[in-house]
């Protein structure tokens, strides 16, 4: 449990940093977009097979 709390604190700190920095936020959104595109492509390929 203690590790989870520490991990949550670290994530919250990172999220606050990203939200306050437009450049970091842009990088994050670009990465999320790319991951979503890859996931959709993989789903399409699975449906075909």
């Amino acid at each position: 449990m203690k590790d989870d709390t520490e991990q949550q604190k670290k994530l919250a700190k990172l999220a606050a940093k990203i939200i306050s920095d437009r450049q970091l936020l842009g990088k994050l959104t670009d990465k999320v977009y790319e991951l979503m595109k890859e996931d959709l492509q993989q789903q399409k390929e699975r449906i075909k097979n």
Side-chain angles (χ1 to χ4, degrees):
M1 284 279 179
K2 187 176 181 182
D3 290 336
D4 288 343
T5 303
E6 287 299 316
Q7 197 71 355
Q8 287 176 347
K9 286 180 184 178
K10 287 179 184 179
L11 284 172
K13 186 175 180 180
L14 178 60
K17 180 179 179 181
I18 291 170
I19 288 171
S20 67
D21 185 324
R22 283 184 169 259
Q23 191 173 17
L24 285 176
L25 186 57
K27 285 182 180 181
L28 177 62
T29 54
D30 289 347
K31 184 63 177 176
V32 169
Y33 177 76
E34 288 302 317
L35 290 171
M36 289 176 72
K37 272 182 28 179
E38 288 175 19
D39 185 54
L40 284 173
Q41 186 62 38
Q42 290 173 359
Q43 287 180 39
K44 286 179 184 178
E45 289 173 8
R46 276 184 288 211
I47 290 170
K48 286 181 186 177
N49 296 329

